[in-house]
Each structure stands twice: as C-alpha cells, then as structure tokens.
Amino acid sequence: MESVQVALNPLDWSGVSAITSILMLLINFFLLVSVIFAYRTIKEEVKNRDSTLLLWAMDEMSKIKPDLSLLRDAGDYADGELGTEEHEVAWSKETVDAANRVSIVMQRLSYLTMSGLISQEHFSKMWGPVFVQTWDKLEPYIRHKRFLNGEPLTLAEGAYSRNDFEKYALYCRNLNT
C-alpha cells in the first residue's frame, strides 16, 4: 500500500490575519444578534411590567368605587372660610373616612404615574377625568387636612400632603383643555 502524504504549506502572517478577521466577524455578528435579542426582550419586559402595574392600578381603583360614589353624592365639604371659627365640616364621619381612603389611593397611584413607573399616557386615558373630578371634590378636604397639619395649603407654597394627587389632577386637567 502506498503511503499517503499530506503536504501543508506553511501559513504566513497574512493567512493568520485573514482567519482572525473571519473569526472576529463571526463573533461580532453573534454579539449583534445578542444585542438585538436583548433589546426585544427588555422591550417586552417593560410592556409586561406596564400592563401588570396598570392591572394593579385598575384593581385599586375598583376597590374605591363605592367610596367614589359616596363622595360624588356628598355635598360641600365644609361651611365657612378655612381657618376661621365659622369653618365647620359638613360631611359625615363615613364620608370623611371615604375621602381619606380615596385620597390615599389616588396619592399612591399619582406618585407612581408622576414618577414614570406607570405610563402617564395610558393611565391618563383610563382614569384622567376621574382624577380631575375627584380632586375637585376633595380639594377642600385636603386643604383642611393640610391646614390642620400646619403645612402650606397650595403646591406653590410648598404643600406636601397629597401633592402628587394634586399635580396629577392638574396634569390631567391640562390634557383635556
């Protein structure tokens, strides 16, 4: 049997460089595909997080529906000017408790929305008018609460109780005007 001889020509540096370039091209292509895949995954995860938060927010809003109905039917919060002896709360304890629950939930949701954790665009389309109407109804109650706590009454003066609720309600009002 004849012996088989394989003759390999020695590679020079230009051959090594070409093989390295091809290898680097394959690695870069793999990295590019990985980045594209990661971008799509992150984009989908953000959508998933937004939808989860919106579902949670919808659940929170549905929990306060009875309180919102009670507040909608309530008359004016108080008689007389705030800070005077003639100022007297006209709402019953049940209505004031409902106002407190609603303002807490709306403050929490407003904070998440104003800080960008919930999409302002989607949330304002779903609940913007409700926030504006509820703010209009609860503004005297919240200002009275601020007064009792010794804090400024308006955002311009530096009020901090329920300030995100007020900011978000004003944001929603400006969207509709």
Side-chain angles (χ1 to χ4, degrees), residues 22-121:
I22 291 172
L23 189 60
M24 291 303 294
L25 178 67
L26 292 174
I27 290 172
N28 283 334
F29 179 74
F30 175 73
L31 290 174
L32 181 62
V33 169
S34 298
V35 167
I36 291 170
F37 181 73
Y39 172 76
R40 288 182 180 166
T41 303
I42 290 170
K43 192 174 176 182
E44 288 301 316
E45 186 59 34
V46 167
K47 285 181 182 178
N48 185 32
R49 179 191 63 103
D50 283 352
S51 66
T52 302
L53 282 171
L54 284 172
L55 288 172
W56 172 80
M58 289 171 59
D59 185 49
E60 290 294 308
M61 290 298 287
S62 66
K63 287 178 186 175
I64 61 170
K65 274 187 179 181
D67 292 334
L68 288 170
S69 296
L70 180 65
L71 291 172
R72 194 175 310 115
D73 297 336
D76 290 336
Y77 171 69
D79 298 321
E81 185 179 335
L82 182 62
T84 64
E85 289 187 21
E86 293 87 36
H87 187 265
E88 186 175 322
V89 176
W91 285 355
S92 67
K93 178 171 177 13
E94 178 186 10
T95 307
V96 171
D97 290 344
N100 189 48
R101 286 188 298 270
V102 166
S103 68
I104 288 170
V105 168
M106 290 196 159
Q107 165 63 23
R108 188 178 303 135
L109 294 173
S110 297
Y111 172 78
L112 292 173
T113 304
M114 295 303 287
S115 63
L117 295 172
I118 296 177
S119 168
Q120 282 187 353
E121 175 189 356

